[in-house]
Amino acid sequence: MFKLLVEAVEDYSIFLLSPEGVVSSWNRGAERIKGYRESEILGKSFSLFFTADDRANGVPELILQDARRHGRYETEGWRVRKDGSRFWARATLNAVADEEGTIIGFAKITRDVTAARETSRALRTAALTDPLTGMWNRTAFLDELDQWVENDETFAVSIIDLNGFKLVNDSLGHAAGDALLKSFAEHLHDAASEGIIAARLGGDEFAAAARTPEPPSCDEFVETISAALRKPVMLGEKQSNVSASVGVACFPSDATNVSELLARADAAMYEAKETQSETPVTYREGLLKRSASRRFLDREIAGAIGRGEFELEYQAQTSLRDGAVVGREALVRWNHPVLGLLYPGEFISLAEANGTIVELGRWVLNQACSDAAAWADHVRTAVNVSALQLADRDFARTVAEVLATTGLDPHRLELEITEATLIRQRSEVVEIFADLQSLGVKIALDDFGTGFSSLDTLLAFAFDRIKIDRSVLHASLQPSRTRGVLRAILALGHALTTTVLVEGVETQKQLELLRGEGFDEVQGFLTGRPSSSDEPVPEGISRIASRRAPRDPLR
Ligand code: C2E
Ligand code: MG
Ligand code: MG
């Protein structure tokens, strides 16, 4: 009965070997798994089941030896079927002894576990791989770094975060976002062949690391990463204008363990993002603390619009012809429930970095237009527009929609744009401006006198107004030279039939100077500090001007 039972088992190959390893019995499972019929295999050496390599290395003999010595042997490995195909076997070999203890043979039980092995390998790979890019995931990356720390290696790690990714994802869809991530991953992958390991940590966040020479220097690593990131990130056939912010930290100079190290690299990355640095930022003292509050705001800002935490203040723009207030610039404030009132300098660059500026900008536009609709007809509102908003080809349509829903006359809306925006995306913006101006909306060049201040920009766009940055008025130049610069810009503006406004007017002296030179408009604390929409519009400068001013204030 027992013999019949063993012979009939199909899932397990069960057979007997002589002490020398010759097959002396065979069951149905053995035939199914190994492909030999009983008549073919009886009397043959079991070494037939091994690969040529194993046979050459004497593996079958070693197995027998071991089973003889310990009474039992367990193994896993490739075995070969009669037709030459392989399977992954899990086998046990039990020595069979007679009553005196002499070994009279071995019972061998083998199972084909190829499928189970594949599954567990696939699961392990999946657990360590990012499915989209095929790169290592966070777990695999951290495991490797832990290993490096354990081995007392010196190394550098970088955190890499894409700028403007959210925008691509939101405006062009997830397929485009995925394509972009893949293109970026390829660059990192190419760099990885130079001794760098790279991973996708999640979302649009990547990481790379490399061992560094003794004495530790991260320079070479930083150079390799920079080179990889200079390659354009593709969006299908087109080159995207997505770039990356990179922070670098070094082990062991910056941290004592992996999580500390990553936190520092992350802080450095935040600094890079904040300062719009095109090159990697290396960690330095103090960045961690700064980034903690940045990160906090970064997480909060998207939800803050829905929670109604933003509000607008307006600052008067006053005509120097008749002293009347002719416009009010909308300046956004974030009334944070915990941190109190925050000014644009504290959150606009964050909103630009994470893409929220598009939604925030639309909110500002809508609010400003609906506020302005309640003001006197001759008062316009000026709204600041950031580069990312203009990256959307539909921006002019958005503006038209807002004007329609708020009922504001397009002539009473002015959009303020800084020069940096225009240099980056020139041809697209020319068209958007043309569309806006044909609606009747006015365009002002903001903060002129900082940055490039190029004649080229002034000639390429038909601005309705130039706003001279307050730094020009406040520059610690000799008064005659300040006057010279102001005069030159004014002449330029008037030659282009553009009105010229000066920002940052704080004193009567400055006001008189500007009036004397023939400027069109002023904006500053003297003629009105930013205040809420429903506060009365400042009454203009007739009263201020009537105070007696010295004849030549700057001399
Ligand atoms: P900006 O467009 O040049 O706005 C003028 C800034 O100068 C305002 O600062 C204003 O409070 C300040 N200011 C006005 N008069 C004087 C003065 O007499 N003396 C001095 N020292 N400062 C004066 P604020 O409100 O902090 O805004 C800073 C910048 O943030 C703005 O500069 C603008 O570029 C940006 N911003 C404000 N609101 C928005 C917005 O809704 N969207 C975008 N994209 N940017 C905005
Ligand atoms: Mg402005
Ligand atoms: Mg300005």
Side-chain angles (χ1 to χ4, degrees):
M1 286 290 285
F2 190 68
K3 184 168 182 289
L4 288 176
L5 174 71
V6 169
E7 278 174 0
V9 168
E10 289 207 14
D11 284 349
Y12 290 77
S13 133
I14 303 174
F15 56 93
L16 289 171
L17 296 179
S18 74
E20 296 75 37
V22 172
V23 178
S24 60
S25 84
W26 202 238
N27 82 336
R28 215 176 286 164
E31 179 175 333
R32 195 180 63 82
I33 292 171
K34 306 208 191 233
Y36 298 95
R37 330 191 89 202
E38 189 175 20
S39 56
E40 294 172 313
I41 198 70
L42 288 185
K44 303 246 165 74
S45 166
F46 88 125
S47 63
L48 265 182
F49 310 142
F50 289 79
T51 63
D53 275 355
D54 280 353
R55 281 204 301 271
N57 293 327
V59 173
E61 290 74 21
L62 290 174
I63 288 179
L64 282 187
Q65 238 174 52
D66 230 76
R68 208 172 286 131
R69 192 171 307 143
H70 304 291
R72 179 184 166 83
Y73 187 81
E74 274 190 48
T75 181
E76 274 199 19
W78 288 115
R79 295 292 182 272
V80 184
R81 296 193 187 92
K82 181 185 167 192
D83 64 7
S85 62
R86 290 170 163 216
F87 66 98
W88 188 260
R90 187 175 296 152
T92 50
L93 203 62
N94 282 290
V96 183
D98 63 12
E99 273 139 32
E100 272 104 60
T102 313
I103 289 176
I104 54 168
F106 301 95
K108 190 153 189 249
I109 302 180
T110 306
R111 230 169 21 126
D112 177 353
V113 292
T114 315
R117 178 173 184 262
E118 306 271 87
T119 311
S120 83
R121 277 162 63 99
L123 283 175
R124 201 166 55 230
T125 316
L128 298 176
T129 315
D130 168 53
L132 179 68
T133 60
M135 296 174 99
W136 279 4
N137 64 12
R138 182 184 288 269
T139 311
F141 187 70
L142 295 186
D143 282 356
E144 181 69 13
L145 293 192
D146 279 334
Q147 200 60 53
W148 289 9
V149 168
E150 208 153 283
N151 299 346
D152 283 330
E153 313 254 17
T154 57
F155 61 94
V157 47
S158 66
I159 301 277
I160 304 160
D161 195 281
L162 298 185
N163 304 321
F165 176 72
K166 187 179 181 302
L167 198 73
V168 171
N169 226 17
D170 290 353
S171 60
L172 302 177
H174 289 279
D178 284 357
L180 194 134
L181 290 174
K182 279 194 204 159
S183 159
F184 185 74
E186 266 166 38
H187 296 334
L188 267 189
H189 182 81
D190 293 347
S193 57
E194 299 169 39
I196 293 180
I197 58 165
R200 175 165 174 234
L201 301 185
D204 60 348
E205 197 174 40
F206 294 81
R211 296 178 174 87
T212 50
E214 292 268 16
S217 154
C218 296
D219 296 352
E220 198 184 323
F221 174 69
V222 168
E223 188 34 54
T224 317
I225 291 290
S226 309
L229 302 189
R230 275 195 290 270
K231 299 183 189 166
V233 182
M234 302 305 287
L235 230 174
E237 298 291 286
K238 265 186 66 188
Q239 188 171 323
S240 78
N241 47 16
V242 165
S243 59
S245 296
V246 185
V248 177
C250 299
F251 186 85
S253 53
D254 290 329
T256 58
N257 61 46
V258 171
S259 59
E260 262 181 41
L261 185 69
L262 287 184
R264 279 159 177 76
D266 195 55
M269 183 279 287
Y270 246 79
E271 180 69 12
K273 206 173 258 293
E274 270 287 288
T275 56
Q276 299 187 4
S277 169
E278 287 176 4
T279 52
V281 169
T282 325
Y283 181 75
R284 56 175 190 274
E285 203 65 33
L287 283 190
L288 199 61
K289 225 172 134 193
R290 261 171 70 102
S291 81
S293 58
R294 303 274 101 197
R295 211 169 246 296
F296 174 69
L297 289 186
D298 190 8
R299 271 200 306 267
E300 296 264 292
I301 199 163
I305 302 171
R307 290 193 299 270
E309 291 172 9
F310 288 103
E311 56 189 46
L312 293 182
E313 285 192 323
Y314 293 91
Q315 184 174 34
Q317 300 180 330
T318 309
S319 163
L320 287 177
R321 300 266 162 275
D322 56 9
V325 172
V326 289
R328 299 176 83 189
E329 178 178 1
L331 297 164
V332 66
R333 274 78 181 103
W334 183 358
N335 204 347
H336 191 279
V338 179
L339 301 173
L341 198 63
L342 301 175
Y343 287 84
E346 295 169 274
F347 61 84
I348 289 288
S349 63
L350 266 182
E352 286 176 335
N354 71 16
T356 316
I357 192 69
V358 175
E359 200 187 338
L360 179 58
R362 193 178 311 133
W363 179 86
V364 170
L365 184 68
N366 196 67
Q367 188 63 40
C369 290
S370 82
D371 284 347
W375 304 339
D377 278 349
H378 66 279
V379 181
R380 62 171 190 257
T381 184
V383 174
N384 294 285
V385 172
S386 106
L388 277 180
Q389 292 174 268
L390 289 173
D392 179 5
R393 296 298 289 265
D394 286 340
F395 181 69
R397 198 162 67 214
T398 307
V399 173
E401 279 165 14
V402 169
L403 287 167
T405 51
T406 57
L408 186 73
D409 178 350
H411 296 94
R412 294 178 57 205
L413 174 64
E414 181 160 294
L415 301 177
E416 296 192 1
I417 287 128
T418 60
E419 194 175 11
T421 310
L422 304 173
I423 287 184
R424 259 184 277 158
Q425 21 188 12
R426 169 153 280 180
S427 56
E428 291 94 336
V429 173
V430 168
E431 286 172 29
I432 295 176
F433 280 8
D435 290 350
L436 288 167
Q437 284 171 324
S438 72
L439 292 174
V441 174
K442 303 214 164 39
I443 310 279
L445 177 62
D446 202 357
D447 301 345
F448 193 75
T450 61
F452 301 97
S453 309
S454 77
L455 189 54
D456 197 34
T457 308
L458 287 180
L459 294 175
F461 302 91
F463 294 109
D464 298 287
R465 201 177 322 285
I466 298 171
K467 295 186 74 182
I468 301 182
D469 192 73
R470 65 169 179 269
S471 61
V472 175
L473 199 57
H474 295 199
S476 44
L477 292 177
Q478 280 173 342
S480 64
R481 304 194 73 180
T482 300
R483 190 195 300 253
V485 173
L486 287 169
R487 225 174 242 176
I489 304 177
L490 180 68
L492 201 57
H494 282 175
L496 296 167
T497 64
T498 300
T499 57
V500 183
L501 176 153
V502 180
E503 289 188 283
V505 180
E506 293 176 355
T507 65
Q508 190 69 37
K509 256 184 175 182
Q510 291 165 338
L511 182 76
E512 292 309 327
L513 165 78
L514 297 169
R515 204 205 312 257
E517 290 298 332
F519 281 92
D520 303 290
E521 293 175 9
V522 289
Q523 178 179 345
F525 292 165
L526 181 72
T527 47
R529 290 191 174 255
S531 63
S532 74
S533 169
D534 39 17
E535 272 174 55
V537 181
E539 53 186 283
I541 47 179
S542 54
R543 204 166 42 85
I544 304 168
S546 68
R547 283 192 227 126
R548 224 183 165 67
R551 272 192 54 231
D552 199 349
L554 287 184
R555 187 154 296 158

CSV table of all heavy atoms in Angstrom, one decimal, residues 329 384 416 446-447 467 469 503, ligand 3:
chain,number,residue,atom,x,y,z
A,329,GLU,N,-3.2,99.7,-6.5
A,329,GLU,CA,-2.6,98.5,-6.7
A,329,GLU,C,-3.0,97.4,-5.6
A,329,GLU,O,-2.9,97.7,-4.4
A,329,GLU,CB,-1.1,98.6,-6.7
A,329,GLU,CG,-0.4,97.2,-6.9
A,329,GLU,CD,1.1,97.3,-7.0
A,329,GLU,OE1,1.7,98.4,-6.8
A,329,GLU,OE2,1.7,96.2,-7.2
A,384,ASN,N,-0.8,92.5,-9.8
A,384,ASN,CA,0.4,91.9,-10.1
A,384,ASN,C,0.2,90.5,-10.7
A,384,ASN,O,-0.6,89.7,-10.2
A,384,ASN,CB,1.3,91.7,-8.9
A,384,ASN,CG,1.7,93.1,-8.4
A,384,ASN,OD1,2.6,93.8,-8.9
A,384,ASN,ND2,1.1,93.5,-7.3
A,416,GLU,N,0.3,94.3,-13.8
A,416,GLU,CA,1.7,94.6,-13.6
A,416,GLU,C,2.6,93.4,-13.8
A,416,GLU,O,2.3,92.3,-13.1
A,416,GLU,CB,1.9,95.2,-12.2
A,416,GLU,CG,1.2,96.5,-12.0
A,416,GLU,CD,1.6,97.2,-10.7
A,416,GLU,OE1,2.5,96.7,-10.0
A,416,GLU,OE2,1.1,98.3,-10.4
A,446,ASP,N,6.5,96.4,-14.2
A,446,ASP,CA,6.8,96.7,-12.8
A,446,ASP,C,8.2,96.6,-12.5
A,446,ASP,O,9.0,95.9,-13.1
A,446,ASP,CB,6.0,95.6,-12.0
A,446,ASP,CG,5.7,96.0,-10.6
A,446,ASP,OD1,6.1,97.1,-10.2
A,446,ASP,OD2,5.1,95.2,-9.9
A,447,ASP,N,8.6,97.3,-11.4
A,447,ASP,CA,10.0,97.2,-10.8
A,447,ASP,C,11.1,97.5,-11.8
A,447,ASP,O,12.2,96.9,-11.8
A,447,ASP,CB,10.2,95.8,-10.3
A,447,ASP,CG,9.2,95.5,-9.2
A,447,ASP,OD1,8.5,96.4,-8.7
A,447,ASP,OD2,9.1,94.3,-8.8
A,467,LYS,N,6.7,101.3,-14.3
A,467,LYS,CA,6.8,101.7,-12.9
A,467,LYS,C,8.3,101.6,-12.5
A,467,LYS,O,8.9,100.5,-12.6
A,467,LYS,CB,6.0,100.7,-12.1
A,467,LYS,CG,4.5,100.7,-12.4
A,467,LYS,CD,3.7,99.8,-11.5
A,467,LYS,CE,3.6,100.4,-10.1
A,467,LYS,NZ,2.9,99.5,-9.1
A,469,ASP,N,11.1,101.2,-10.0
A,469,ASP,CA,11.2,100.6,-8.7
A,469,ASP,C,11.7,101.6,-7.6
A,469,ASP,O,12.5,102.5,-7.9
A,469,ASP,CB,12.2,99.4,-8.8
A,469,ASP,CG,12.1,98.5,-7.5
A,469,ASP,OD1,11.1,97.8,-7.4
A,469,ASP,OD2,13.0,98.6,-6.7
A,503,GLU,N,7.7,104.5,-7.9
A,503,GLU,CA,7.3,103.8,-6.7
A,503,GLU,C,8.1,104.2,-5.5
A,503,GLU,O,9.2,104.7,-5.6
A,503,GLU,CB,7.5,102.3,-6.8
A,503,GLU,CG,6.5,101.6,-7.8
A,503,GLU,CD,6.7,100.1,-7.7
A,503,GLU,OE1,7.7,99.6,-8.3
A,503,GLU,OE2,5.9,99.4,-7.0
B,3,MG,MG,6.9,97.3,-8.1
